[in-house]
Amino acid sequence: MKTLNAGVCLIAAVLLCGCNPLMNASFINLKAAVGGPDELQVTPAQVARVEFPQLTLTTPSGSGVLAMVRERGDLQFWVASGKQVLLLRDGLAVRSIGLGFDGDLDGTRLAPASPFKQGLQTLPDGYTSQRWIDLYQGSEVGVTVNSRFSRKSMETLEILDKEYTVLRVDEQIDAPAIGLRSTNRYWVDPVDGFILQSEQQLTTRLRVKIVQLTSERRFSH
């Protein structure tokens, strides 16, 4: 978990330098924002001008657009123009680089029967699982995160002027070793389990909101 292919950042720099001004400017404000993030307003036309899958990411210090520049199996590499990086596996954020002003998520190890691989829409109410995370701050390694999933109601999301009927699934997470307790929320396609939107607590102080802007593109596993 301590290594990341350096080529990803190089690829990102090449790919994102030619993107529209929204992508180039979006994360400039990430480090400067002090009073809390303003949600980025993105238009369908702006998204259409970029050939790569995109998402919006909101953190405690700002909001921006990331593009998916690489897939390795089921692991997706999403990068901003400022070289911030988010790694997703089946919709779960498993690593971050340059996002946590108080420390990033260094890595995540999932159980063999990962609920995210199964598809959250298939889980019975009350399903429990574990995963293990590494943190940059304090060099914490192998921290156990206990989780319990709750099926909520069907909801309607609007993303880029399109409406999606989704199932909300909440995940109560608890990592006693670092005093982390929170609730993650996932808005899931009830048919195939694709996570269109989520709110995830990555560390004790780093919470992110992820919205898929190109959800019609089902990424291969």
Side-chain angles (χ1 to χ4, degrees):
M1 293 181 182
K2 290 292 185 181
T3 61
L4 176 70
N5 190 330
V8 173
C9 290
L10 178 61
I11 293 170
V14 173
L15 295 181
L16 299 183
C17 67
C19 293
N20 61 40
L22 174 67
M23 294 193 69
N24 287 331
S26 60
F27 263 94
I28 291 175
N29 295 325
L30 185 107
K31 296 179 181 178
V34 177
D38 292 325
E39 293 243 357
L40 198 63
Q41 299 301 312
V42 185
T43 68
Q46 288 172 317
V47 172
R49 286 199 293 269
V50 180
E51 62 180 303
F52 307 100
Q54 297 154 74
L55 58 76
T56 57
L57 178 69
T58 302
T59 76
S61 55
S63 185
V65 175
L66 284 71
M68 190 183 75
V69 299
R70 183 184 175 193
E71 282 185 293
R72 190 175 68 199
D74 61 1
L75 187 63
Q76 299 173 350
F77 296 76
W78 297 83
V79 185
S81 58
K83 297 185 181 178
Q84 295 88 357
V85 180
L86 183 70
L87 274 63
L88 297 181
R89 176 166 275 132
D90 299 309
L92 177 69
V94 295
R95 187 177 182 187
S96 66
I97 299 174
L99 299 181
F101 53 89
D102 283 319
D104 278 289
L105 175 64
D106 192 26
T108 304
R109 182 167 63 86
L110 300 172
S114 164
F116 296 90
K117 176 67 70 178
Q118 296 177 51
L120 299 186
Q121 84 285 7
T122 68
L123 302 182
D125 196 53
Y127 183 92
T128 60
S129 182
Q130 286 186 327
R131 57 182 176 269
W132 298 267
I133 62 173
D134 299 341
L135 304 174
Y136 282 111
Q137 189 177 40
S139 300
E140 297 280 359
V141 177
V143 175
T144 300
V145 177
N146 304 301
S147 63
R148 183 180 186 276
F149 293 87
S150 303
R151 295 172 66 92
K152 300 299 182 180
S153 60
M154 299 295 293
E155 299 182 10
T156 300
L157 285 183
E158 184 173 323
I159 302 174
L160 296 181
D161 301 329
K162 293 183 181 179
E163 289 191 348
Y164 301 87
T165 300
V166 293
L167 171 66
R168 194 181 113 197
V169 178
D170 286 3
E171 178 193 25
Q172 289 74 45
I173 62 171
D174 182 25
I178 57 174
L180 170 60
R181 176 173 291 184
S182 187
T183 300
N184 294 341
R185 298 181 177 88
Y186 308 92
W187 286 265
V188 180
D189 186 314
V191 176
D192 63 9
F194 184 81
I195 299 174
L196 287 99
Q197 179 175 301
S198 64
E199 298 173 2
Q200 304 184 38
Q201 193 77 36
L202 305 192
T203 70
T204 53
R205 296 192 179 184
L206 178 56
R207 186 173 181 85
V208 300
K209 178 180 178 181
I210 302 167
V211 180
Q212 293 283 351
L213 300 179
T214 44
S215 56
E216 72 277 9
R217 298 177 65 168
R218 297 298 193 256
F219 311 129
S220 60
H221 287 177

